[in-house]
């Protein structure tokens, strides 16, 4: 036993109750987060400041009572350090001034070890968190999936239609694969360095998985994540890997999700019972309350009870089926966490 309920649960071991955390748990719904962000000046400054990033990482553990902390950073620091100029425009989200259009644009970017080495502030943040975090809590490190990162690198910002990257998928798949391969090389070393700095568990966010038609998902996203997992498992087999692909229930239904991962993050659009039937023997399942249920305590309790009834306290980690939204009352987030711990106590 690791002494950390969350790590034990990731490995499929019996735990005194089912551990819980929330995607995007450090963020704008917490007034304490807003205060630190205001001191930092802006969001990217906060990511670059290990002391402040450590402070906001610990807030949801102290305030909301989750069983694991997630490193405070962003998936987009990776392309930023590869040489794409990232900014966050107020009210509009992330922007890259010079999106990738050609092979020459890609060739200009820094790759592999050199890019991963530039993310030192992330490794320093992890070292600080490990000193401060209670021994029985786990620290989750993370990356974006190469596909999800590539959508921002090609579109230059968030998108509803993904038309620029999907045009590339069908008209110039070679260039898209070259982008994905270059990002994959950086991510492998970046995650290895996060592990060496002290994270206990890895989560890969494929937030925009659903933009790819099911028959192309393996080729353009899943296979790259399998490559990352194989690399990490060959070096650090003891570190569990959580795979969270958002919106791929057709892929789940076909049972096509083989890979060297320990935990499968189930999004809120996929019925937990179906995920259990198709994947429950292969993976520990994480999830999957619809995040908007957090607006109502009764809607939260009934969902937590239903998920627990399906999973029976075995091979399960409680979470939302995607990130918590900024206008959720902190009280309600606390209620979700304590209800998960209450219903599953043995
Ligand atoms: O303070 C602010 O206003 C900035 C809001 C914010 C925060 C709190 C952004 C900008 N990023 C983050 C932190 C963050 N991002 C974390 C650590 C905190 C935690 O989880 O507790 C993590 C894990 C992420 C990961 C992330 N960033 C993802 C994948 C997770 C998901 O929610 O699907 C994605 C897609 C991003 C890109 C991004 N960063 C920020 C925004 C607003 C966005 C999304 C833009 C879009 O919708 O396209």
């Amino acid at each position: 036993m690791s002494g950390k309920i969350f790590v034990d649960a990731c490995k499929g071991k019996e735990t005194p109750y089912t551990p819980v955390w929330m995607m995007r748990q450090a963020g704008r719904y917490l007034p304490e987060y807003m205060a630190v962000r205001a001191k930092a000046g802006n969001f990217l400054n906060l990511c670059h400041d290990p002391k402040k990033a450590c402070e906001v990482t610990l807030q949801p553990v102290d305030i909301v009572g989750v069983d694991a902390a997630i490193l405070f950073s962003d998936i987009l620091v990776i392309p930023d350090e590869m040489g794409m100029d990232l900014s966050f425009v107020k009210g509009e989200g992330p922007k890259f001034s010079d999106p990738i259009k050609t092979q020459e644009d890609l060739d200009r970017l820094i790759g592999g070890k050199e890019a991963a080495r530039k993310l030192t502030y992330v490794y320093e943040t992890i070292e600080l968190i490990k000193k401060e975090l209670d021994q029985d809590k786990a620290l989750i490190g993370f990356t974006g999936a190469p596909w999800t990162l590539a959508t921002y690198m090609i579109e230059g910002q968030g998108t509803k239609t993904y038309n620029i990257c999907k045009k590339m998928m069908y008209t110039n798949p070679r260039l898209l694969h070259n982008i994905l391969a270059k990002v994959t090389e950086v991510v492998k070393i970046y995650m290895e360095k996060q592990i060496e700095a002290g994270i206990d568990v890895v989560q890969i966010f494929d937030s925009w998985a659903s933009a790819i038609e099911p028959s192309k998902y393996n080729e353009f996203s899943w296979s790259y994540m399998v490559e990352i997992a194989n690399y990490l498992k060959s070096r650090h087999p003891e570190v569990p890997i959580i795979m969270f692909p958002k919106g791929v229930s057709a892929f789940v239904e076909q049972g096509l999700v083989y890979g060297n991962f320990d935990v499968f993050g189930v999004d809120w659009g996929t019925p937990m019972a179906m995920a259990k039937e198709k994947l429950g023997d292969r993976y520990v399942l994480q999830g999957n309350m619809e995040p908007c249920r957090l607006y109502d305590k009764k809607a939260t309790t009934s969902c937590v009870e239903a998920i627990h009834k399906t999973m029976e306290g075995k091979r399960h980690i409680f979470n939302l089926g995607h990130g918590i939204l900024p206008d959720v009352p902190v009280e309600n987030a606390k209620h979700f966490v304590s209800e998960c711990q209450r219903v599953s106590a043995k």
Side-chain angles (χ1 to χ4, degrees):
M1 293 285 162
S2 66
K4 299 181 200 294
I5 287 183
F6 183 77
V7 173
D8 288 343
C10 288
K11 294 181 175 175
K13 294 180 187 163
E14 275 232 20
T15 53
Y17 62 89
T18 303
V20 53
W21 69 287
M22 295 181 294
M23 286 186 274
R24 294 297 193 97
Q25 66 189 15
R28 287 178 291 173
Y29 73 104
L30 287 174
E32 293 85 348
Y33 166 82
M34 294 310 283
V36 180
R37 195 185 69 162
K39 266 196 265 166
N42 63 45
F43 171 69
L44 266 183
N45 286 350
L46 181 51
C47 293
H48 292 159
D49 182 333
K51 250 183 116 182
K52 290 194 177 68
C54 170
E55 188 179 348
V56 296
T57 298
L58 298 174
Q59 284 173 348
V61 179
D62 297 337
I63 299 165
V64 188
V66 287
D67 294 293
I70 179 161
L71 163 71
F72 189 83
S73 184
D74 196 82
I75 60 168
L76 299 177
V77 296
I78 300 169
D80 190 32
E81 296 302 346
M82 290 174 76
M84 296 192 71
D85 172 39
L86 172 66
S87 59
F88 280 87
V89 182
K90 232 186 159 143
E92 288 177 48
K95 281 235 169 13
F96 289 109
S97 53
D98 212 359
I100 303 173
K101 294 190 187 71
T102 63
Q103 182 65 43
E104 292 68 42
D105 293 340
L106 177 63
D107 291 342
R108 273 197 291 275
L109 297 185
I110 302 164
K113 279 195 184 122
E114 206 186 330
R117 225 183 281 131
K118 295 180 75 193
L119 289 147
T120 43
Y121 49 91
V122 175
Y123 317 130
E124 281 169 28
T125 303
I126 293 169
E127 284 165 13
L128 277 185
I129 299 165
K130 287 297 284 193
K131 283 191 201 134
E132 306 261 327
L133 186 66
D134 291 344
Q135 285 293 314
D136 60 340
K137 307 277 180 173
L139 176 61
I140 303 165
F142 70 91
T143 176
W147 161 256
T148 287
L149 291 171
T151 64
Y152 291 96
M153 297 165 79
I154 296 164
E155 303 269 347
Q157 59 192 2
T159 166
K160 286 201 167 73
T161 55
Y162 304 88
N163 54 312
I164 307 173
C165 41
K166 289 208 269 186
K167 184 174 176 188
M168 191 184 287
M169 181 182 286
Y170 298 108
T171 61
N172 192 356
R174 175 63 17 227
L175 177 56
L176 181 53
H177 277 301
N178 290 347
I179 296 169
L180 294 166
K182 191 158 186 169
V183 172
T184 298
E185 284 313 305
V186 179
V187 166
K188 282 181 190 168
I189 301 162
Y190 178 48
M191 294 319 295
E192 187 178 11
K193 283 178 172 289
Q194 286 195 22
I195 292 171
E196 285 162 6
I199 60 163
D200 300 298
V201 175
V202 170
Q203 174 151 322
I204 305 175
F205 285 93
D206 197 6
S207 303
W208 310 138
S210 67
I212 308 179
E213 61 173 304
S215 68
K216 294 276 187 192
Y217 184 59
N218 187 53
E219 178 185 345
F220 287 100
S221 188
W222 187 262
S223 58
Y224 289 96
M225 299 186 293
V226 168
E227 190 183 328
I228 292 163
N230 287 342
Y231 177 85
L232 296 177
K233 286 290 183 189
S234 71
R235 281 160 175 77
H236 297 282
E238 75 291 356
V239 177
I241 303 177
I242 306 172
M243 180 60 240
F244 175 69
K246 166 101 188 13
V248 293
S249 59
F251 197 65
V252 171
E253 198 159 14
Q254 292 159 20
L256 290 177
V257 283
Y258 301 96
N260 215 342
F261 311 108
D262 302 87
V263 182
F264 188 90
V266 183
D267 70 80
W268 60 266
T270 304
M272 208 62 178
M274 191 254 275
K276 185 184 175 194
E277 185 199 322
K278 300 285 181 185
L279 307 177
D281 293 337
R282 194 174 310 137
Y283 302 113
V284 169
L285 299 180
Q286 174 175 281
N288 76 337
M289 189 173 89
E290 143 70 286
C292 291
R293 280 187 179 258
L294 284 175
Y295 292 120
D296 185 83
K297 287 188 182 173
K298 272 197 210 137
T300 295
T301 295
S302 65
C303 185
V304 166
E305 284 172 347
I307 293 171
H308 182 64
K309 197 164 169 223
T310 303
M311 295 310 297
E312 301 168 300
K314 292 187 196 101
R315 295 174 63 70
H316 179 221
I317 293 162
F318 273 115
N319 203 320
L320 306 172
H322 200 189
I324 183 171
L325 294 163
D327 60 343
V328 166
V330 179
E331 266 316 298
N332 294 21
K334 285 186 194 169
H335 175 79
F336 168 67
V337 169
S338 61
E339 286 295 79
C340 292
Q341 293 163 343
R342 177 185 67 80
V343 301
S344 64
K346 287 175 187 145

